[in-house]
PDB file of all heavy atoms in Angstrom:
ATOM      1  N   ILE A 232      -6.517 -15.975  -9.763  1.00  0.00           N
ATOM      2  CA  ILE A 232      -5.099 -15.895  -9.952  1.00  0.00           C
ATOM      3  C   ILE A 232      -4.635 -14.490  -9.468  1.00  0.00           C
ATOM      4  O   ILE A 232      -5.155 -13.493  -9.924  1.00  0.00           O
ATOM      5  CB  ILE A 232      -4.750 -16.024 -11.490  1.00  0.00           C
ATOM      6  CG1 ILE A 232      -5.325 -17.331 -12.046  1.00  0.00           C
ATOM      7  CG2 ILE A 232      -3.276 -15.907 -11.729  1.00  0.00           C
ATOM      8  CD1 ILE A 232      -5.254 -17.408 -13.570  1.00  0.00           C
ATOM      9  N   GLN A 233      -3.675 -14.514  -8.551  1.00  0.00           N
ATOM     10  CA  GLN A 233      -3.073 -13.227  -8.093  1.00  0.00           C
ATOM     11  C   GLN A 233      -1.586 -13.245  -8.464  1.00  0.00           C
ATOM     12  O   GLN A 233      -0.881 -14.241  -8.250  1.00  0.00           O
ATOM     13  CB  GLN A 233      -3.250 -13.063  -6.626  1.00  0.00           C
ATOM     14  CG  GLN A 233      -4.682 -12.934  -6.127  1.00  0.00           C
ATOM     15  CD  GLN A 233      -4.834 -12.760  -4.612  1.00  0.00           C
ATOM     16  OE1 GLN A 233      -3.979 -13.184  -3.922  1.00  0.00           O
ATOM     17  NE2 GLN A 233      -6.006 -12.270  -4.173  1.00  0.00           N
ATOM     18  N   VAL A 234      -1.093 -12.069  -8.786  1.00  0.00           N
ATOM     19  CA  VAL A 234       0.334 -11.950  -9.125  1.00  0.00           C
ATOM     20  C   VAL A 234       0.740 -10.549  -8.948  1.00  0.00           C
ATOM     21  O   VAL A 234      -0.099  -9.628  -8.933  1.00  0.00           O
ATOM     22  CB  VAL A 234       0.515 -12.372 -10.724  1.00  0.00           C
ATOM     23  CG1 VAL A 234      -0.190 -11.379 -11.649  1.00  0.00           C
ATOM     24  CG2 VAL A 234       1.962 -12.539 -11.062  1.00  0.00           C
ATOM     25  N   GLY A 235       2.056 -10.271  -8.757  1.00  0.00           N
ATOM     26  CA  GLY A 235       2.563  -8.997  -8.590  1.00  0.00           C
ATOM     27  C   GLY A 235       3.203  -8.463  -9.865  1.00  0.00           C
ATOM     28  O   GLY A 235       3.527  -9.224 -10.765  1.00  0.00           O
ATOM     29  N   SER A 236       3.224  -7.161 -10.052  1.00  0.00           N
ATOM     30  CA  SER A 236       3.788  -6.616 -11.295  1.00  0.00           C
ATOM     31  C   SER A 236       5.293  -6.631 -11.344  1.00  0.00           C
ATOM     32  O   SER A 236       5.941  -6.447 -12.342  1.00  0.00           O
ATOM     33  CB  SER A 236       3.271  -5.187 -11.553  1.00  0.00           C
ATOM     34  OG  SER A 236       3.882  -4.272 -10.625  1.00  0.00           O
ATOM     35  N   HIS A 237       5.932  -6.842 -10.190  1.00  0.00           N
ATOM     36  CA  HIS A 237       7.387  -6.860 -10.045  1.00  0.00           C
ATOM     37  C   HIS A 237       7.940  -8.341 -10.029  1.00  0.00           C
ATOM     38  O   HIS A 237       8.676  -8.714  -9.187  1.00  0.00           O
ATOM     39  CB  HIS A 237       7.874  -6.100  -8.825  1.00  0.00           C
ATOM     40  CG  HIS A 237       7.889  -4.667  -9.004  1.00  0.00           C
ATOM     41  ND1 HIS A 237       8.532  -3.777  -8.184  1.00  0.00           N
ATOM     42  CD2 HIS A 237       7.296  -3.841  -9.982  1.00  0.00           C
ATOM     43  CE1 HIS A 237       8.437  -2.598  -8.584  1.00  0.00           C
ATOM     44  NE2 HIS A 237       7.672  -2.556  -9.663  1.00  0.00           N
ATOM     45  N   GLU A 238       7.406  -9.199 -11.004  1.00  0.00           N
ATOM     46  CA  GLU A 238       7.967 -10.493 -11.053  1.00  0.00           C
ATOM     47  C   GLU A 238       8.027 -11.012 -12.483  1.00  0.00           C
ATOM     48  O   GLU A 238       7.288 -10.765 -13.324  1.00  0.00           O
ATOM     49  CB  GLU A 238       7.089 -11.402 -10.112  1.00  0.00           C
ATOM     50  CG  GLU A 238       5.652 -11.530 -10.418  1.00  0.00           C
ATOM     51  CD  GLU A 238       5.010 -12.519  -9.470  1.00  0.00           C
ATOM     52  OE1 GLU A 238       5.469 -13.713  -9.508  1.00  0.00           O
ATOM     53  OE2 GLU A 238       4.093 -12.251  -8.745  1.00  0.00           O
ATOM     54  N   VAL A 239       9.109 -11.820 -12.683  1.00  0.00           N
ATOM     55  CA  VAL A 239       9.313 -12.433 -14.028  1.00  0.00           C
ATOM     56  C   VAL A 239       8.213 -13.400 -14.449  1.00  0.00           C
ATOM     57  O   VAL A 239       8.101 -13.613 -15.611  1.00  0.00           O
ATOM     58  CB  VAL A 239      10.695 -13.057 -14.139  1.00  0.00           C
ATOM     59  CG1 VAL A 239      11.793 -12.049 -13.890  1.00  0.00           C
ATOM     60  CG2 VAL A 239      10.833 -14.296 -13.185  1.00  0.00           C
ATOM     61  N   LEU A 240       7.454 -13.847 -13.475  1.00  0.00           N
ATOM     62  CA  LEU A 240       6.327 -14.783 -13.857  1.00  0.00           C
ATOM     63  C   LEU A 240       5.034 -14.091 -14.075  1.00  0.00           C
ATOM     64  O   LEU A 240       4.007 -14.738 -14.135  1.00  0.00           O
ATOM     65  CB  LEU A 240       6.133 -15.867 -12.741  1.00  0.00           C
ATOM     66  CG  LEU A 240       7.420 -16.773 -12.519  1.00  0.00           C
ATOM     67  CD1 LEU A 240       7.084 -17.886 -11.520  1.00  0.00           C
ATOM     68  CD2 LEU A 240       7.875 -17.424 -13.809  1.00  0.00           C
ATOM     69  N   LEU A 241       5.079 -12.756 -14.221  1.00  0.00           N
ATOM     70  CA  LEU A 241       3.766 -11.979 -14.482  1.00  0.00           C
ATOM     71  C   LEU A 241       3.076 -12.649 -15.693  1.00  0.00           C
ATOM     72  O   LEU A 241       1.835 -12.837 -15.603  1.00  0.00           O
ATOM     73  CB  LEU A 241       4.129 -10.580 -14.726  1.00  0.00           C
ATOM     74  CG  LEU A 241       3.005  -9.622 -15.188  1.00  0.00           C
ATOM     75  CD1 LEU A 241       1.847  -9.624 -14.164  1.00  0.00           C
ATOM     76  CD2 LEU A 241       3.503  -8.277 -15.487  1.00  0.00           C
ATOM     77  N   ASP A 242       3.751 -12.834 -16.793  1.00  0.00           N
ATOM     78  CA  ASP A 242       3.100 -13.352 -17.945  1.00  0.00           C
ATOM     79  C   ASP A 242       2.573 -14.802 -17.785  1.00  0.00           C
ATOM     80  O   ASP A 242       1.601 -15.206 -18.492  1.00  0.00           O
ATOM     81  CB  ASP A 242       4.050 -13.266 -19.143  1.00  0.00           C
ATOM     82  CG  ASP A 242       4.050 -11.895 -19.827  1.00  0.00           C
ATOM     83  OD1 ASP A 242       3.235 -11.037 -19.344  1.00  0.00           O
ATOM     84  OD2 ASP A 242       4.890 -11.646 -20.693  1.00  0.00           O
ATOM     85  N   ASP A 243       3.180 -15.585 -16.918  1.00  0.00           N
ATOM     86  CA  ASP A 243       2.660 -16.903 -16.610  1.00  0.00           C
ATOM     87  C   ASP A 243       1.190 -16.790 -16.133  1.00  0.00           C
ATOM     88  O   ASP A 243       0.310 -17.534 -16.529  1.00  0.00           O
ATOM     89  CB  ASP A 243       3.503 -17.628 -15.568  1.00  0.00           C
ATOM     90  CG  ASP A 243       4.775 -18.203 -16.119  1.00  0.00           C
ATOM     91  OD1 ASP A 243       5.397 -17.516 -16.897  1.00  0.00           O
ATOM     92  OD2 ASP A 243       5.131 -19.361 -15.775  1.00  0.00           O
ATOM     93  N   ALA A 244       0.991 -15.822 -15.253  1.00  0.00           N
ATOM     94  CA  ALA A 244      -0.392 -15.598 -14.685  1.00  0.00           C
ATOM     95  C   ALA A 244      -1.279 -15.039 -15.730  1.00  0.00           C
ATOM     96  O   ALA A 244      -2.463 -15.495 -15.812  1.00  0.00           O
ATOM     97  CB  ALA A 244      -0.249 -14.648 -13.462  1.00  0.00           C
ATOM     98  N   VAL A 245      -0.826 -14.030 -16.432  1.00  0.00           N
ATOM     99  CA  VAL A 245      -1.706 -13.348 -17.427  1.00  0.00           C
ATOM    100  C   VAL A 245      -2.110 -14.392 -18.534  1.00  0.00           C
ATOM    101  O   VAL A 245      -3.302 -14.478 -18.915  1.00  0.00           O
ATOM    102  CB  VAL A 245      -1.018 -12.152 -18.049  1.00  0.00           C
ATOM    103  CG1 VAL A 245      -1.791 -11.567 -19.217  1.00  0.00           C
ATOM    104  CG2 VAL A 245      -0.748 -11.071 -16.967  1.00  0.00           C
ATOM    105  N   ARG A 246      -1.157 -15.120 -19.016  1.00  0.00           N
ATOM    106  CA  ARG A 246      -1.452 -16.096 -20.070  1.00  0.00           C
ATOM    107  C   ARG A 246      -2.323 -17.213 -19.594  1.00  0.00           C
ATOM    108  O   ARG A 246      -3.159 -17.810 -20.325  1.00  0.00           O
ATOM    109  CB  ARG A 246      -0.156 -16.559 -20.718  1.00  0.00           C
ATOM    110  CG  ARG A 246       0.497 -15.492 -21.450  1.00  0.00           C
ATOM    111  CD  ARG A 246       2.015 -15.778 -21.693  1.00  0.00           C
ATOM    112  NE  ARG A 246       2.272 -16.968 -22.410  1.00  0.00           N
ATOM    113  CZ  ARG A 246       3.191 -17.899 -22.039  1.00  0.00           C
ATOM    114  NH1 ARG A 246       3.985 -17.686 -21.000  1.00  0.00           N
ATOM    115  NH2 ARG A 246       3.366 -18.964 -22.771  1.00  0.00           N
ATOM    116  N   LEU A 247      -2.121 -17.678 -18.318  1.00  0.00           N
ATOM    117  CA  LEU A 247      -2.920 -18.712 -17.775  1.00  0.00           C
ATOM    118  C   LEU A 247      -4.379 -18.178 -17.685  1.00  0.00           C
ATOM    119  O   LEU A 247      -5.332 -18.942 -17.991  1.00  0.00           O
ATOM    120  CB  LEU A 247      -2.404 -19.073 -16.374  1.00  0.00           C
ATOM    121  CG  LEU A 247      -3.155 -20.245 -15.651  1.00  0.00           C
ATOM    122  CD1 LEU A 247      -2.944 -21.523 -16.467  1.00  0.00           C
ATOM    123  CD2 LEU A 247      -2.650 -20.369 -14.253  1.00  0.00           C
ATOM    124  N   ALA A 248      -4.604 -17.021 -17.266  1.00  0.00           N
ATOM    125  CA  ALA A 248      -5.909 -16.410 -17.244  1.00  0.00           C
ATOM    126  C   ALA A 248      -6.572 -16.311 -18.597  1.00  0.00           C
ATOM    127  O   ALA A 248      -7.738 -16.663 -18.797  1.00  0.00           O
ATOM    128  CB  ALA A 248      -5.877 -15.042 -16.565  1.00  0.00           C
ATOM    129  N   GLN A 249      -5.772 -15.940 -19.578  1.00  0.00           N
ATOM    130  CA  GLN A 249      -6.271 -15.929 -20.935  1.00  0.00           C
ATOM    131  C   GLN A 249      -6.761 -17.314 -21.411  1.00  0.00           C
ATOM    132  O   GLN A 249      -7.733 -17.412 -22.085  1.00  0.00           O
ATOM    133  CB  GLN A 249      -5.240 -15.337 -21.910  1.00  0.00           C
ATOM    134  CG  GLN A 249      -4.985 -13.835 -21.696  1.00  0.00           C
ATOM    135  CD  GLN A 249      -3.787 -13.369 -22.468  1.00  0.00           C
ATOM    136  OE1 GLN A 249      -2.887 -14.136 -22.830  1.00  0.00           O
ATOM    137  NE2 GLN A 249      -3.837 -12.099 -22.831  1.00  0.00           N
ATOM    138  N   GLN A 250      -5.901 -18.294 -21.078  1.00  0.00           N
ATOM    139  CA  GLN A 250      -6.228 -19.684 -21.473  1.00  0.00           C
ATOM    140  C   GLN A 250      -7.472 -20.179 -20.829  1.00  0.00           C
ATOM    141  O   GLN A 250      -8.292 -20.821 -21.440  1.00  0.00           O
ATOM    142  CB  GLN A 250      -5.043 -20.538 -21.090  1.00  0.00           C
ATOM    143  CG  GLN A 250      -5.128 -22.043 -21.640  1.00  0.00           C
ATOM    144  CD  GLN A 250      -4.811 -22.143 -23.103  1.00  0.00           C
ATOM    145  OE1 GLN A 250      -4.736 -21.171 -23.858  1.00  0.00           O
ATOM    146  NE2 GLN A 250      -4.593 -23.367 -23.573  1.00  0.00           N
ATOM    147  N   ALA A 251      -7.676 -19.826 -19.539  1.00  0.00           N
ATOM    148  CA  ALA A 251      -8.833 -20.203 -18.821  1.00  0.00           C
ATOM    149  C   ALA A 251     -10.087 -19.526 -19.390  1.00  0.00           C
ATOM    150  O   ALA A 251     -11.115 -20.158 -19.647  1.00  0.00           O
ATOM    151  CB  ALA A 251      -8.725 -19.861 -17.325  1.00  0.00           C
ATOM    152  N   ALA A 252      -9.932 -18.238 -19.691  1.00  0.00           N
ATOM    153  CA  ALA A 252     -11.069 -17.473 -20.242  1.00  0.00           C
ATOM    154  C   ALA A 252     -11.434 -18.014 -21.617  1.00  0.00           C
ATOM    155  O   ALA A 252     -12.680 -18.127 -21.929  1.00  0.00           O
ATOM    156  CB  ALA A 252     -10.693 -15.981 -20.368  1.00  0.00           C
ATOM    157  N   ALA A 253     -10.496 -18.361 -22.440  1.00  0.00           N
ATOM    158  CA  ALA A 253     -10.828 -18.950 -23.686  1.00  0.00           C
ATOM    159  C   ALA A 253     -11.544 -20.273 -23.612  1.00  0.00           C
ATOM    160  O   ALA A 253     -12.264 -20.691 -24.588  1.00  0.00           O
ATOM    161  CB  ALA A 253      -9.493 -19.072 -24.532  1.00  0.00           C
ATOM    162  N   ALA A 254     -11.312 -21.002 -22.512  1.00  0.00           N
ATOM    163  CA  ALA A 254     -11.925 -22.226 -22.271  1.00  0.00           C
ATOM    164  C   ALA A 254     -13.278 -22.082 -21.574  1.00  0.00           C
ATOM    165  O   ALA A 254     -13.801 -23.130 -21.059  1.00  0.00           O
ATOM    166  CB  ALA A 254     -11.011 -23.221 -21.549  1.00  0.00           C
ATOM    167  N   ASP A 255     -13.798 -20.908 -21.371  1.00  0.00           N
ATOM    168  CA  ASP A 255     -14.988 -20.629 -20.755  1.00  0.00           C
ATOM    169  C   ASP A 255     -14.940 -20.926 -19.226  1.00  0.00           C
ATOM    170  O   ASP A 255     -16.018 -21.280 -18.563  1.00  0.00           O
ATOM    171  CB  ASP A 255     -16.213 -21.370 -21.319  1.00  0.00           C
ATOM    172  CG  ASP A 255     -16.477 -20.933 -22.818  1.00  0.00           C
ATOM    173  OD1 ASP A 255     -16.249 -19.709 -23.041  1.00  0.00           O
ATOM    174  OD2 ASP A 255     -16.746 -21.761 -23.606  1.00  0.00           O
ATOM    175  N   VAL A 256     -13.823 -20.811 -18.656  1.00  0.00           N
ATOM    176  CA  VAL A 256     -13.685 -20.982 -17.176  1.00  0.00           C
ATOM    177  C   VAL A 256     -13.892 -19.582 -16.527  1.00  0.00           C
ATOM    178  O   VAL A 256     -13.488 -18.597 -17.023  1.00  0.00           O
ATOM    179  CB  VAL A 256     -12.274 -21.522 -16.823  1.00  0.00           C
ATOM    180  CG1 VAL A 256     -12.024 -21.492 -15.325  1.00  0.00           C
ATOM    181  CG2 VAL A 256     -12.019 -22.904 -17.402  1.00  0.00           C
ATOM    182  N   SER A 257     -14.666 -19.613 -15.373  1.00  0.00           N
ATOM    183  CA  SER A 257     -14.819 -18.396 -14.627  1.00  0.00           C
ATOM    184  C   SER A 257     -13.454 -18.143 -13.939  1.00  0.00           C
ATOM    185  O   SER A 257     -13.022 -18.731 -13.072  1.00  0.00           O
ATOM    186  CB  SER A 257     -15.899 -18.583 -13.595  1.00  0.00           C
ATOM    187  OG  SER A 257     -16.026 -17.435 -12.718  1.00  0.00           O
ATOM    188  N   VAL A 258     -12.809 -16.991 -14.405  1.00  0.00           N
ATOM    189  CA  VAL A 258     -11.473 -16.729 -13.922  1.00  0.00           C
ATOM    190  C   VAL A 258     -11.386 -15.242 -13.549  1.00  0.00           C
ATOM    191  O   VAL A 258     -11.910 -14.407 -14.220  1.00  0.00           O
ATOM    192  CB  VAL A 258     -10.375 -17.085 -14.983  1.00  0.00           C
ATOM    193  CG1 VAL A 258     -10.654 -16.338 -16.310  1.00  0.00           C
ATOM    194  CG2 VAL A 258      -8.976 -16.785 -14.520  1.00  0.00           C
ATOM    195  N   THR A 259     -10.727 -15.043 -12.422  1.00  0.00           N
ATOM    196  CA  THR A 259     -10.453 -13.647 -11.972  1.00  0.00           C
ATOM    197  C   THR A 259      -8.884 -13.545 -11.899  1.00  0.00           C
ATOM    198  O   THR A 259      -8.292 -14.294 -11.196  1.00  0.00           O
ATOM    199  CB  THR A 259     -11.073 -13.427 -10.551  1.00  0.00           C
ATOM    200  OG1 THR A 259     -12.447 -13.716 -10.565  1.00  0.00           O
ATOM    201  CG2 THR A 259     -10.803 -12.064 -10.060  1.00  0.00           C
ATOM    202  N   LEU A 260      -8.442 -12.468 -12.534  1.00  0.00           N
ATOM    203  CA  LEU A 260      -7.009 -12.181 -12.490  1.00  0.00           C
ATOM    204  C   LEU A 260      -6.842 -10.886 -11.787  1.00  0.00           C
ATOM    205  O   LEU A 260      -7.365  -9.894 -12.140  1.00  0.00           O
ATOM    206  CB  LEU A 260      -6.428 -12.036 -13.928  1.00  0.00           C
ATOM    207  CG  LEU A 260      -4.972 -11.596 -14.033  1.00  0.00           C
ATOM    208  CD1 LEU A 260      -3.995 -12.551 -13.419  1.00  0.00           C
ATOM    209  CD2 LEU A 260      -4.639 -11.245 -15.537  1.00  0.00           C
ATOM    210  N   GLU A 261      -5.926 -10.880 -10.747  1.00  0.00           N
ATOM    211  CA  GLU A 261      -5.613  -9.663  -9.960  1.00  0.00           C
ATOM    212  C   GLU A 261      -4.091  -9.453 -10.170  1.00  0.00           C
ATOM    213  O   GLU A 261      -3.280 -10.263  -9.636  1.00  0.00           O
ATOM    214  CB  GLU A 261      -6.016  -9.835  -8.524  1.00  0.00           C
ATOM    215  CG  GLU A 261      -7.439  -9.996  -8.317  1.00  0.00           C
ATOM    216  CD  GLU A 261      -7.806 -10.156  -6.792  1.00  0.00           C
ATOM    217  OE1 GLU A 261      -6.842 -10.157  -5.898  1.00  0.00           O
ATOM    218  OE2 GLU A 261      -8.975 -10.171  -6.449  1.00  0.00           O
ATOM    219  N   VAL A 262      -3.695  -8.353 -10.701  1.00  0.00           N
ATOM    220  CA  VAL A 262      -2.318  -7.915 -10.767  1.00  0.00           C
ATOM    221  C   VAL A 262      -2.124  -6.767  -9.792  1.00  0.00           C
ATOM    222  O   VAL A 262      -2.722  -5.679 -10.024  1.00  0.00           O
ATOM    223  CB  VAL A 262      -1.923  -7.533 -12.172  1.00  0.00           C
ATOM    224  CG1 VAL A 262      -0.417  -7.187 -12.263  1.00  0.00           C
ATOM    225  CG2 VAL A 262      -2.268  -8.639 -13.207  1.00  0.00           C
ATOM    226  N   THR A 263      -1.302  -6.957  -8.806  1.00  0.00           N
ATOM    227  CA  THR A 263      -1.059  -5.951  -7.771  1.00  0.00           C
ATOM    228  C   THR A 263       0.217  -5.244  -8.136  1.00  0.00           C
ATOM    229  O   THR A 263       1.282  -5.851  -8.310  1.00  0.00           O
ATOM    230  CB  THR A 263      -0.953  -6.552  -6.397  1.00  0.00           C
ATOM    231  OG1 THR A 263      -2.222  -7.141  -6.046  1.00  0.00           O
ATOM    232  CG2 THR A 263      -0.653  -5.492  -5.307  1.00  0.00           C
ATOM    233  N   PRO A 264       0.232  -3.900  -8.330  1.00  0.00           N
ATOM    234  CA  PRO A 264       1.428  -3.180  -8.756  1.00  0.00           C
ATOM    235  C   PRO A 264       2.431  -3.037  -7.665  1.00  0.00           C
ATOM    236  O   PRO A 264       2.110  -2.926  -6.567  1.00  0.00           O
ATOM    237  CB  PRO A 264       0.831  -1.816  -9.220  1.00  0.00           C
ATOM    238  CG  PRO A 264      -0.439  -1.680  -8.460  1.00  0.00           C
ATOM    239  CD  PRO A 264      -0.994  -3.023  -8.325  1.00  0.00           C
TER     240      PRO A 264
END
Side-chain angles (χ1 to χ4, degrees):
I232 304 170
Q233 292 178 342
V234 67
S236 71
H237 281 194
E238 54 176 307
V239 296
L240 298 187
L241 173 60
D242 279 352
D243 283 42
V245 173
R246 292 158 60 222
L247 184 66
Q249 291 173 332
Q250 186 78 345
D255 297 323
V256 174
S257 174
V258 57
T259 302
L260 172 67
E261 297 180 357
V262 182
T263 299

